[in-house]
C-alpha cells in the first residue's frame, strides 16, 4: 500500500492563482510533500497549469497523481466527464473522487435516488476508460433515509464493478460507524482509503458531560485502532492510502511529517 497526501491542510500554501508567484508556490508545495516522503498527492491539475505542466512537475519530483481531482455535482449530473478523463490520461491518474453527498440528497429519498443513478452512469463511463470513480463519505452519510443509512444505500444500489468507495476513517467514526467493519464490507471496492485520526478535545466546555468535541488529529495521535485498520487494508491489498487532515494541531507540514512517521512506525510493528 503506497502513501499519498490529501493536501487540504496545505491550502494556505497554495496561494492565489491570480498572483505571479502561484506556480512557484505549487512547485514548492509539491517539493515539500516529496521531501517529507510521500509517494503521491491527491490533487488534480491546479489553476493556471496545463495538465502537461503539472505532470512535468510531478515527474521531476517522483510524485504520482493519485487522483485527477474531483467531479462537481454539476458535472456528475450532466454526465460531462471529457475534461476529467483528459486530465486522467495526461497525469496517469487512475482515480476520480466524488467529494461529498449533494446537499439536495440529504433527507430527500428522491434526490438520493437520482444521485445514485448518476454515480452508476459516471462509474461505468470512467471504468470504460480504466479510471476508478470513488465516493468519499462524511459523517452525514450515516444519517438514515427509510431505515437505512445513506452510505448503505449508496453501497447497495451502485454497481460494485465500477462505483468504488473512498472510505474516510475519521468520518466513519464520527458518524457512529465501525471503521474495520466498513472496510470489510467494502472489500473489492476500495482503490484508496483516507487515513484521518479522530481525537477528543480535552478542553471542551462540555467534556465532563460526555459532549466532547472531536478533533482532526495526525495519524497515530488520536484514538483510532490503527493496527487493526492497517491489517485489514493490507489484507485487502488496497493500492493507496492518503493522509488527510482538515485542521491541524501543529504547523501543517510538521503535521504531515508526523503522520507519515507514525504510519511507518505502526506498519513496522505489524
Amino acid at each position: 500500500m503506497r502513501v499519498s497526501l490529501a493536501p487540504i491542510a496545505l491550502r494556505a500554501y497554495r496561494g492565489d492563482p491570480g498572483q505571479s508567484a502561484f506556480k512557484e508556490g505549487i512547485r514548492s508545495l509539491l517539493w515539500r510533500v516529496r521531501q517529507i516522503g510521500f509517494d503521491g498527492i491527491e490533487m488534480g491539475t491546479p489553476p493556471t497549469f496545463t495538465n502537461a505542466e503539472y505532470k512535468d512537475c510531478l515527474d521531476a519530483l517522483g510524485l504520482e497523481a493519485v487522483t485527477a481531482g474531483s467531479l462537481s455535482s454539476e458535472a456528475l449530473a450532466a454526465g460531462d466527464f471529457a475534461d476529467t478523463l483528459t486530465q486522467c490520461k495526461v497525469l496517469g491518474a487512475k482515480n476520480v473522487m466524488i467529494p461529498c453527498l449533494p446537499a439536495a440528497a440529504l433527507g430527500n429519498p428522491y434526490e438520493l435516488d437520482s444521485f445514485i443513478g448518476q454515480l452508476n452512469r459516471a462509474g461505468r463511463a470512467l471504468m470504460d476508460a480504466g479510471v476508478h470513480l470513488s465516493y468519499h463519505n462524511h459523517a452525514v452519510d450515516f444519517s438514515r433515509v427509510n431505515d437505512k443509512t445513506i452510505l448503505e444505500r449508496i453501497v447497495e444500489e451502485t454497481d460494485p464493478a465500477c462505483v468504488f468507495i473512498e472510505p474516510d476513517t475519521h468520518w466513519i467514526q464520527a458518524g457512529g460507524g465501525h471503521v474495520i467493519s466498513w472496510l470489510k464490507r467494502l472489500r473489492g471496492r476500495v482503490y484508496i482509503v483516507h487515513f484521518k485520526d479522530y481525537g477528543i478535545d480535552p478542553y471542551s466546555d462540555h467534556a465532563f458531560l460526555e459532549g466532547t468535541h472531536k478533533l482532526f488529529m495526525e495519524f497515530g495521535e488520536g484514538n483510532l485502532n490503527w493496527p487493526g485498520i492497517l491489517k485489514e487494508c493490507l489484507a485487502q491489498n488496497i493500492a493507496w492510502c492518503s493522509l488527510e487532515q482538515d485542521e491541524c494541531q501543529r504547523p501543517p507540514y510538521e503535521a504531515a511529517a508526523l503522520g507519515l512517521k507514525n504510519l511507518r512506525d505502526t506498519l513496522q510493528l505489524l
Side-chain angles (χ1 to χ4, degrees):
M1 183 171 58
R2 304 181 70 196
V3 187
S4 75
L5 181 70
I8 185 171
L10 303 181
R11 52 192 175 274
Y13 298 101
R14 292 185 57 165
D16 183 352
Q19 300 296 319
S20 60
F22 177 74
K23 284 189 174 181
E24 190 55 40
I26 291 292
R27 293 187 180 96
S28 175
L29 183 153
L30 294 172
W31 180 84
R32 289 288 297 271
V33 169
R34 184 56 176 156
Q35 287 297 112
I36 289 170
F38 288 94
D39 302 308
I41 190 160
E42 203 178 3
M43 181 172 75
T45 302
T48 78
F49 280 78
T50 66
N51 292 327
E53 284 176 328
Y54 183 49
K55 173 65 170 170
D56 287 344
C57 290
L58 296 174
D59 287 349
L61 294 168
L63 274 173
E64 286 193 35
V66 183
T67 184
S70 59
L71 273 179
S72 68
S73 296
E74 293 77 16
L76 184 66
D80 182 8
F81 317 126
D83 290 345
T84 298
L85 287 172
T86 296
Q87 188 178 155
C88 287
K89 183 176 181 180
V90 175
L91 300 182
K94 295 181 173 62
N95 189 68
V96 172
M97 182 173 64
I98 303 296
C100 60
L101 184 78
L106 181 60
N108 186 325
Y110 305 105
E111 291 290 343
L112 182 58
D113 288 343
S114 177
F115 176 63
I116 289 171
Q118 292 167 13
L119 288 177
N120 279 318
R121 288 190 294 273
R124 293 181 188 114
L126 268 63
M127 187 54 69
D128 286 345
V131 176
H132 302 85
L133 179 75
S134 297
Y135 175 73
H136 177 282
N137 73 276
H138 288 85
V140 74
D141 290 281
F142 289 87
S143 61
R144 291 184 175 272
V145 177
N146 295 340
D147 297 326
K148 285 191 176 181
T149 67
I150 289 173
L151 188 57
E152 284 175 319
R153 285 207 51 198
I154 289 172
V155 170
E156 292 173 7
E157 297 174 32
T158 53
D159 186 343
C162 59
V163 177
F164 286 62
I165 307 296
E166 190 164 340
D168 184 297
T169 56
H170 176 102
W171 291 122
I172 291 175
Q173 178 73 24
H178 184 261
V179 178
I180 297 172
S181 296
W182 267 100
L183 287 170
K184 290 179 181 294
R185 183 170 184 172
L186 297 173
R187 188 179 187 92
R189 297 185 69 172
V190 179
Y191 177 72
I192 180 170
V193 56
H194 270 191
F195 283 169
K196 184 191 303 176
D197 216 335
Y198 183 105
I200 299 298
D201 182 359
Y203 303 109
S204 166
D205 292 340
H206 306 289
F208 294 100
L209 299 178
E210 298 301 331
T212 51
H213 298 157
K214 67 180 181 62
L215 294 172
F216 298 105
M217 300 296 294
E218 294 81 5
F219 183 105
E221 299 296 308
N223 301 316
L224 293 184
N225 175 12
W226 289 114
I229 293 169
L230 285 170
K231 285 179 182 178
E232 183 60 32
C233 290
L234 293 172
Q236 293 190 29
N237 200 28
I238 292 172
W240 285 90
C241 65
S242 192
L243 298 192
E244 183 185 44
Q245 199 171 347
D246 298 38
E247 299 172 359
C248 294
Q249 308 307 313
R250 46 180 52 80
Y253 285 119
E254 182 182 332
L258 176 62
L260 184 58
K261 177 184 182 300
N262 288 346
L263 170 58
R264 288 174 170 165
D265 289 349
T266 307
L267 284 169
Q268 288 181 351
L269 296 174
L270 298 181

